């Protein structure tokens, strides 16, 4: 298999028309049979198709993990409510704005506010936070990643100024979803939230963990089909990493290889998607973030949360919160990205179809 740019267009069209069986076969091929040369041709093609739409720009987002409380009990997550060992913290509205202030001075123009599903933050308090950010830091985008809420709540937050929303669907297969979540959570609800968010006007992010327990080629193919149907603006994927206080403790030793293949395939299938090289990828592989960018990703999200809380937002074991994960090391990260031939970009970094003046060349 030798993919040239014209082949990659054909491949992209093929990925957009392939059924479940063909998608599962192509994933199987790249996981099990492909040579190193074929995988590097795949990632090279993914980068070329990314650069056609984003001109080699890598967008920077400042991540603020503002609460480790969660009302849910997702079986894989270290923040699950029944984890009595988890350290719980909440940032006040003023502390969240302080993080943004620090981020703004560092150059960030997108803030990603993430938390467990913590109902302590009412619509009213979230609206105060969003309007506070919008008033003080003009021109910045606000991305929320705070879980499932009612349509009315999403609408109110959007009307107040929230621009984007990240809500991974986790898996598009019903049975698989049930193996990862307690009975009170449902794939239908999760999907409904995503469609509501899109209809309201958010730039929406979906996604899933790679190598999550019970994931198969067939469930992955269903993920691809769902992503094709939803056509989200952003897709977050990263390796599943076991957490010691969950039922999946020691489930297996995670690696970056499968995530890198899927990043490239997703880039080729949905060329304009904003695709982060995630913290989880950097956690399982020292060079994970760089390899993610070389596989077709175009977003990085350094951590802006207060230092004293960073290790407490513990979704999985050994989660990175130092070095290039930390916003304090921004200049080194930006320089490194430049040395890779890419362009660090601190602008809002909207989806190519929504950038004023059209997509960057
Ligand atoms: N509460 C929000 C939600 O439900 O979307 C956002 C926070 S949630 C902790 C963010 C993401 O972390 C989840 O969507 C999940 O994919 C990921 N995550 C949780 N546990 C993980 C693990 N053990 N390994 C890798 N990723 C994990």
């Amino acid at each position: 298999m030798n993919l040239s740019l014209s082949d990659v267009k054909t491949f992209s069209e093929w990925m957009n028309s392939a059924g479940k069986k063909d998608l599962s076969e192509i994933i199987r091929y790249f996981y099990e049979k492909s040579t190193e040369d074929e995988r590097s041709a795949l990632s090279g093609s993914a980068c070329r198709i990314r650069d056609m739409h984003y001109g080699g720009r890598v967008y920077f987002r400042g991540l603020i993990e503002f609460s480790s409380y969660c009302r849910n009990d997702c079986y894989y997550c270290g923040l699950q409510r029944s984890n009595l060992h988890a350290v719980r913290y909440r940032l006040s509205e003023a502390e969240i704005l302080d993080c943004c202030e620090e981020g703004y001075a560092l150059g960030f123009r997108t803030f990603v506010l993430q938390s467990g599903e913590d109902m302590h933050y009412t619509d009213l308090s979230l609206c105060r936070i969003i309007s506070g950010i919008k008033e003080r830091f003009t021109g910045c985008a606000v991305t929320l990643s705070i879980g499932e809420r009612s349509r009315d709540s999403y609408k109110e937050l959007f009307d107040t100024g929230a621009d984007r929303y990240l809500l991974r669907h986790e898996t598009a297969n019903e049975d698989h979803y049930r193996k990862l979540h307690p009975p009170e959570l449902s794939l239908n609800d999760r999907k409904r939230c995503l469609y509501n968010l899109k209809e309201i006007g958010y730039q929406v992010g979906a996604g899933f963990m790679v190598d999550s327990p019970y994931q198969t080629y067939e469930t992955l193919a269903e993920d691809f089909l769902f992503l094709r149907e939803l056509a989200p603006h952003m897709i977050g994927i990263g390796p599943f990493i076991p957490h010691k206080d969950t039922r999946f403790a020691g489930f297996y030793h995670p690696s970056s290889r499968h995530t890198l293949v899927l990043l490239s395939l997703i880039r080729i299938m949905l060329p304009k998607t904003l695709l982060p090289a995630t913290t989880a990828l950097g956690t399982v592989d020292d060079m994970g973030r760089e390899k993610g960018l070389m596989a077709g990703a175009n977003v990085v999200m350094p951590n802006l949360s207060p230092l004293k809380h960073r290790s407490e937002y513990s979704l999985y074991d050994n989660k990175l919160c130092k070095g290039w994960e930390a916003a304090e090391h921004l200049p080194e990260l930006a320089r490194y990205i430049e040395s890779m031939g890419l362009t660090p970009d601190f602008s809002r970094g909207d989806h190519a179809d929504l950038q004023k003046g059209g997509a960057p060349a």
Side-chain angles (χ1 to χ4, degrees):
M1 192 178 287
N2 185 16
L3 299 166
S4 73
L5 188 55
S6 58
D7 289 329
V8 86
K9 282 187 174 160
T10 314
F11 191 17
S12 180
E13 281 161 20
W14 182 84
M15 291 286 297
N16 274 286
S17 58
K20 181 173 161 185
K21 189 165 180 304
D22 283 339
L23 287 170
S24 64
E25 281 308 315
I26 195 84
I27 298 167
R28 181 198 297 275
Y29 181 82
F30 276 106
Y31 271 24
E32 292 181 9
K33 300 204 179 111
S34 59
T35 61
E36 217 171 307
D37 282 353
E38 286 172 330
R39 286 196 298 279
S40 69
L42 179 75
S43 56
S45 302
C47 288
R48 282 202 300 279
I49 213 164
R50 169 197 65 200
D51 297 345
M52 279 165 54
H53 297 289
Y54 288 102
R57 286 173 176 75
V58 175
Y59 296 109
F60 280 64
R61 325 290 202 198
L63 175 64
I64 302 164
E65 296 161 334
F66 67 93
S67 167
S68 65
Y69 284 86
C70 191
R71 66 174 170 175
N72 289 333
D73 236 345
C74 306
Y75 298 152
Y76 46 83
C77 183
L79 298 187
Q80 60 183 252
R81 69 162 186 268
S82 51
N83 180 8
L84 302 179
H85 301 292
V87 181
R88 307 291 175 176
Y89 72 90
R90 275 187 188 114
L91 300 191
S92 67
E93 293 173 28
E95 285 174 312
I96 295 173
L97 286 173
D98 285 348
C99 293
C100 295
E101 187 162 317
E102 194 180 317
Y104 192 81
L106 287 166
F108 289 104
R109 295 296 177 264
T110 287
F111 300 112
V112 181
L113 306 188
Q114 194 184 83
S115 69
E117 273 190 29
D118 181 359
M119 294 303 130
H120 167 84
Y121 298 88
T122 59
D123 288 348
L124 195 67
S125 59
L126 288 166
C127 285
R128 269 198 308 268
I129 294 165
I130 295 163
S131 47
I133 296 175
K134 289 284 176 166
E135 276 159 27
R136 276 174 62 181
F137 311 110
T138 339
C140 287
V142 172
T143 304
L144 300 175
S145 176
I146 56 179
E148 296 179 30
R149 301 178 80 89
S150 69
R151 192 185 192 287
D152 286 348
S153 168
Y154 287 152
K155 176 89 172 82
E156 199 170 336
L157 304 176
F158 180 78
D159 289 343
T160 306
D163 302 271
R164 310 185 187 127
Y165 206 104
L166 306 176
L167 185 80
R168 289 183 174 182
H169 64 281
E170 311 297 0
T171 170
N173 176 282
E174 289 276 353
D175 292 339
H176 188 206
Y177 198 90
R178 255 178 264 123
K179 288 178 182 160
L180 298 176
H181 300 95
E184 65 272 17
L185 294 176
S186 88
L187 177 58
N188 259 344
D189 288 347
R190 197 88 179 161
K191 283 186 175 174
R192 191 173 325 112
C193 286
L194 281 163
Y195 283 109
N196 282 340
L197 289 161
K198 206 166 177 212
E199 195 186 281
I200 289 169
Y202 283 93
Q203 291 179 55
V204 171
F208 56 89
M209 294 175 293
V210 178
D211 294 327
S212 64
Y214 314 112
Q215 187 171 70
T216 64
Y217 295 118
E218 285 70 32
T219 66
L220 282 170
E222 287 179 54
D223 288 322
F224 274 51
L225 290 173
F226 174 67
L227 291 172
R228 229 163 65 185
E229 178 193 296
L230 177 70
H233 304 84
M234 307 166 279
I235 297 175
I237 66 163
F240 161 70
I241 306 174
H243 187 288
K244 62 180 175 28
D245 299 323
T246 67
R247 67 180 63 189
F248 298 129
F251 197 76
Y252 79 117
H253 189 69
S255 85
S256 60
R257 202 169 80 87
H258 291 165
T259 301
L260 296 172
V261 164
L262 297 186
L263 278 172
S264 297
L265 288 173
I266 288 174
R267 167 64 66 206
I268 290 167
M269 184 172 78
L270 297 169
K272 294 183 190 172
T273 308
L274 291 159
L275 210 51
T278 59
T279 305
L281 191 54
T283 299
V284 300
D285 183 333
D286 286 345
M287 296 296 285
R289 184 161 261 179
E290 299 81 325
K291 289 181 186 171
L293 295 173
M294 298 308 279
N298 64 339
V299 173
V300 290
M301 295 206 267
N303 200 317
L304 272 178
S305 315
L307 278 170
K308 64 176 176 190
H309 291 305
R310 277 192 202 160
S311 61
E312 295 164 2
Y313 195 81
S314 174
L315 309 181
Y316 43 79
D317 291 341
N318 307 317
K319 181 167 163 280
L320 276 192
C321 55
K322 299 201 186 83
W324 285 357
E325 287 309 306
E328 299 73 39
H329 294 276
L330 216 51
E332 288 108 292
L333 177 59
R335 267 198 302 277
Y336 190 83
I337 286 174
E338 260 167 2
S339 77
M340 292 169 73
L342 296 166
T343 311
D345 188 316
F346 284 83
S347 70
R348 277 172 56 108
D350 290 304
H351 183 273
D353 288 343
L354 301 168
Q355 295 197 9
K356 292 199 179 74

